[in-house]
Amino acid sequence: MAIEKAKPEIWTGRASGQQLYMHEKVSCVDEVTDFDKAIAVLGYANDEGVLRNQGRVGAVNGADAIRKQLGKMPNHLSVDTHFYDMGNVQCLDGDMEHSQTVLAKKVTQLLAKNAFPILLGGGHDIAYGHYNGIKNFLPENKTIGIINFDAHFDLRSNENGNNSGTPFFQIAQDCKQQSRDFKYCCLGIRKDANDKVLFETARSLGVVYVENRQFAMEHTKNMVEQLLSFLANVDYVYTTIDLDGFSSAYAPGVSAPSPMGFSPDIVVKALEVIIASKKLISLDIAEMNPVYDIDNHTSKLAASLIHFLAHRC
């Protein structure tokens, strides 16, 4: 399996001797045992999908960039909450599909051990492997809702191959073949980032979406109502955050930056609603590209979002 072991040297920061910081809390392991409360970080060191999608490469090193910033942050987790780093799933010889298969198996294993997976990417093709790992863990009669914070639908046809723009189209096709419900909600969609065909595909698949101009704090009430309606019709929720959905003022280090993206405050508000539903089963952050980051703004944003989630899930 193409898995790089976790690297303890990445986790650095102030030394307290009292586990006051996340780098002192983390345990770098290959496997986890059964615990009542465990959070497991798993990287997806892969930007092959971005390359195939004609994007800016560099996200292969995104997971480690996030870890470096997360390690410096304060630790407020309870003593009995275990925090693991499981290393990185790698893409060898451009075989993205194999890395997605490996990722799915690891997610299934982590869920079976009662761990809450937090995945770090890497291209947004992380979503296909991540979703399949959740699906393979849950009973067939359980409905999985996907909530994607993103500027893009990522519903491109994979007729000419899979890439970072096709994962949710692939999931939709699999659901159709397996007679499963495709429940997909996108928050932050931009008309200047999706062509007419993608909007038509979204409508034909029954996708729930909130456009970027409505995904803002002044429209919180409407956004929360739509989110609650979506949550009411699913058993479990898989949440994925594509960093290129944020304005480049907050997240310059991505494959497809734009100043017209959303802000962190509305994302945090939506996450609060998702967490309160008690249906969140797993989460990932995608498209972290340290090559184009400025003063670690993007990796710090990603780390802060993970820190927020880890202390509330």
Side-chain angles (χ1 to χ4, degrees), residues 65-278:
I66 298 171
R67 286 182 174 100
K68 288 178 181 178
Q69 300 306 320
L70 182 59
K72 301 172 185 178
M73 294 182 173
N75 166 42
H76 299 286
L77 296 173
S78 63
V79 174
D80 60 342
T81 297
H82 299 267
F83 186 73
Y84 297 111
D85 182 0
M86 308 298 300
N88 291 326
V89 173
Q90 297 177 303
C91 179
L92 304 179
D93 301 320
D95 193 347
M96 183 186 78
E97 288 75 13
H98 178 65
S99 64
Q100 289 172 322
T101 299
V102 173
L103 185 75
K105 289 180 180 178
K106 290 299 294 184
V107 169
T108 301
Q109 291 169 4
L110 289 172
L111 291 171
K113 296 291 186 179
N114 298 316
F116 181 86
I118 298 179
L119 276 55
L120 313 177
H124 213 173
D125 39 280
I126 190 175
Y128 187 66
H130 195 168
Y131 175 87
N132 279 308
I134 298 168
K135 181 188 71 175
N136 294 339
F137 168 74
L138 293 173
E140 290 186 10
N141 64 339
K142 296 299 181 180
T143 303
I144 305 169
I146 305 168
I147 297 177
N148 179 24
F149 295 86
D150 203 342
H152 310 93
F153 284 117
D154 288 341
L155 284 169
R156 294 186 182 279
S157 170
N158 65 336
E159 182 179 359
N160 296 317
N162 306 319
N163 58 55
S164 63
T166 66
F168 303 108
F169 180 82
Q170 294 174 254
I171 293 170
Q173 295 302 108
D174 290 350
C175 285
K176 183 178 180 180
Q177 293 175 4
Q178 298 161 10
S179 299
R180 301 175 67 101
D181 290 330
F182 178 60
K183 298 288 187 178
Y184 182 34
C185 173
C186 297
L187 303 175
I189 291 297
R190 297 205 327 265
K191 281 192 173 178
D192 64 341
N194 299 271
D195 61 35
K196 289 182 179 180
V197 172
L198 289 169
F199 275 95
E200 290 168 2
T201 301
R203 284 190 286 269
S204 70
L205 293 171
V207 176
V208 175
Y209 65 89
V210 177
E211 288 189 34
N212 187 61
R213 58 193 175 87
Q214 298 297 321
F215 189 54
M217 291 302 289
E218 59 265 33
H219 300 294
T220 296
K221 185 175 182 291
N222 289 337
M223 182 275 293
V224 170
E225 289 176 353
Q226 288 183 270
L227 195 51
L228 288 173
S229 177
F230 179 81
L231 288 165
N233 291 297
V234 299
D235 297 309
Y236 292 90
V237 172
Y238 154 45
T239 296
T240 177
I241 303 174
D242 190 328
L243 292 168
D244 70 23
F246 290 93
S247 166
S248 52
Y250 304 104
V254 295
S255 300
S258 172
M260 299 300 290
F262 45 71
S263 61
D265 52 0
I266 190 64
V267 172
V268 170
K269 180 61 181 178
L271 286 174
E272 288 176 341
V273 176
I274 295 168
I275 294 167
S277 74
K278 304 296 184 183

Side-chain angles (χ1 to χ4, degrees), residues 69 72 250 252-253 288 290-301:
Q69 300 306 320
K72 301 172 185 178
Y250 304 104
M288 172 62 223
V291 173
Y292 299 98
D293 208 1
I294 299 172
D295 198 25
N296 299 313
H297 286 341
T298 317
S299 55
K300 287 178 179 177
L301 171 62

